[in-house]
């Protein structure tokens, strides 16, 4: 077997990212929960394979499939811009098991105020870790900014949940089951922009098609954050809308009336089933490497790009997750 050629572009995903199907296949691989089971040694081996290949050194005996596997293992655990290892529960491969547990509990324990507050707090704590771990760019964020985002999003989520709980207590019990979703949607609109506020202040890196960095853009940051908010809300819809409808029906049956302890695990299982598909499919709604026309950028950056690279009409950036 000959040595692997050096012309495989592992800077980009394996599948065509201009199509929804290609992006979906990519994110089904990225969000695979089995990546969480990989040891530190396996992650380090994959990182070495990828970094060596990018430097023009092919690991002896490696096949193309093994190279792509190493690339996806590397991508699942290391930040694309900073190269730092992402904390375990902040990785996209942790989205399904973590959200399955937290969302299932939010949907199960929605009747009493203390449990509503507790699970909204747990959810926003997890979201804060995910949003920081999957931010775009390599611009540092201060502890004060992190704290502000975390407190604001948690307060917003709890206030929304308790307010809607109070408004819906005289309505059908089914309506009350959807309060957690409304709170999560509201919190996403608060948490993500605040957790990534540094990007809104100084911008995120934009580059040409070859990956050459051209500057920082706040306009690109706004577009990327908006896309992430939409993706996160859509991701929550199946997991927080379908299980309540099913559980509302099942809880009226004798089977669950005689076994009420089955309610929570059944709800968590239903949420998990929805998230296995919703997480990668909603991540795939927008390209990870998003683009924006130079004409839509800030005047100063636009002038700078036209002066240095007059042929560039579109720039690219990592929108984050």
């Amino acid at each position: 077997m000959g040595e692997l050629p050096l012309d495989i572009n592992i800077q980009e995903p394996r599948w065509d990212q201009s199509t929804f199907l290609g992006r979906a296949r990519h994110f089904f691989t990225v969000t695979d929960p089995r990546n969480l089971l990989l040891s530190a040694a396996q992650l380090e081996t994959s990182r070495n394979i990828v970094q060596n290949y990018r430097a023009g050194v092919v690991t002896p005996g490696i096949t193309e499939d093994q190279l792509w596997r190493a690339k996806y293992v590397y991508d699942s655990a290391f930040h694309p811009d900073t190269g730092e290892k992402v904390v375990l529960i902040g990785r996209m491969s942790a989205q399904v098991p973590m959200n399955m547990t937290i969302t299932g509990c939010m949907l199960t324990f929605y009747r009493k105020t203390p449990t509503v507050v507790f699970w909204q707090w747990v959810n926003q704590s997890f979201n804060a870790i995910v949003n920081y771990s999957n931010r775009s760019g390599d611009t540092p964020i201060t502890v004060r900014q992190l704290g502000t985002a975390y407190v604001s999003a948690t307060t917003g989520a709890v206030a929304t949940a308790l307010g809607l709980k109070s408004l819906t207590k005289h309505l059908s019990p089914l309506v009350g089951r959807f309060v957690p979703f409304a709170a999560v949607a509201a919190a996403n609109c608060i948490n993500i922009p605040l957790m990534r506020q540094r990007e809104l202040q100084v911008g995120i890196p934009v580059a040409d098609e070859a990956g050459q960095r051209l500057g920082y853009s706040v306009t690109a940051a706004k577009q990327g954050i908006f896309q992430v908010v939409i993706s996160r809300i859509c991701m929550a819809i199946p997991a927080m809308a379908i299980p309540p409808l099913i559980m509302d029906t099942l809880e009226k049956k004798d089977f669950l009336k005689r076994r009420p302890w089955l309610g929570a695990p059944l709800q968590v299982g239903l949420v998990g089933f929805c998230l296995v598909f919703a997480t990668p499919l909603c991540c795939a709604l927008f390209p990870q490497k998003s683009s924006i026309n130079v004409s839509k950028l800030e005047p100063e950056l636009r002038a700078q790009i036209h002066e240095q690279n007059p042929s560039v009409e579109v720039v690219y950036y990592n929108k984050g997750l």
Side-chain angles (χ1 to χ4, degrees), residues 268-284:
V268 169
L270 288 170
V271 170
F273 179 78
C274 293
L275 285 173
V276 164
F277 299 97
T279 300
L281 293 177
C282 290
C283 282

Side-chain angles (χ1 to χ4, degrees), residues 102-135:
I102 295 171
T103 304
C105 289
M106 280 196 296
L107 293 175
T108 302
F109 307 111
Y110 68 94
R111 293 183 176 91
K112 296 182 179 180
T113 298
T115 54
V116 169
V117 172
F118 175 76
W119 285 109
Q120 288 295 337
W121 168 72
V122 170
N123 187 49
Q124 290 313 311
S125 299
F126 172 63
N127 283 343
I129 294 171
V130 171
N131 293 337
Y132 176 74
S133 300
N134 295 282
R135 67 199 183 282

Side-chain angles (χ1 to χ4, degrees), residues 211-233:
Q212 183 67 36
R213 188 172 290 190
L214 303 173
Y216 288 79
S217 170
V218 171
T219 303
K222 291 177 181 177
Q223 179 175 293
I225 290 171
F226 175 76
Q227 291 175 349
V228 171
V229 170
I230 296 300
S231 294
R232 291 287 187 85
I233 292 175

Side-chain angles (χ1 to χ4, degrees), residues 56-111:
V57 179
V58 178
T59 303
I62 194 173
T63 66
E64 183 174 350
D65 284 341
Q66 289 171 332
L67 175 64
W68 280 112
R69 172 59 182 160
K71 178 244 187 330
Y72 273 103
V73 168
Y74 173 79
D75 287 351
S76 76
F78 297 91
H79 192 278
D81 292 327
T82 65
E84 66 185 18
K85 185 184 286 187
V86 176
V87 64
L88 190 69
I89 64 171
R91 300 173 193 172
M92 290 309 293
S93 48
Q95 282 284 294
V96 172
M98 290 297 296
N99 274 325
M100 178 176 87
T101 304
I102 295 171
T103 304
C105 289
M106 280 196 296
L107 293 175
T108 302
F109 307 111
Y110 68 94
R111 293 183 176 91

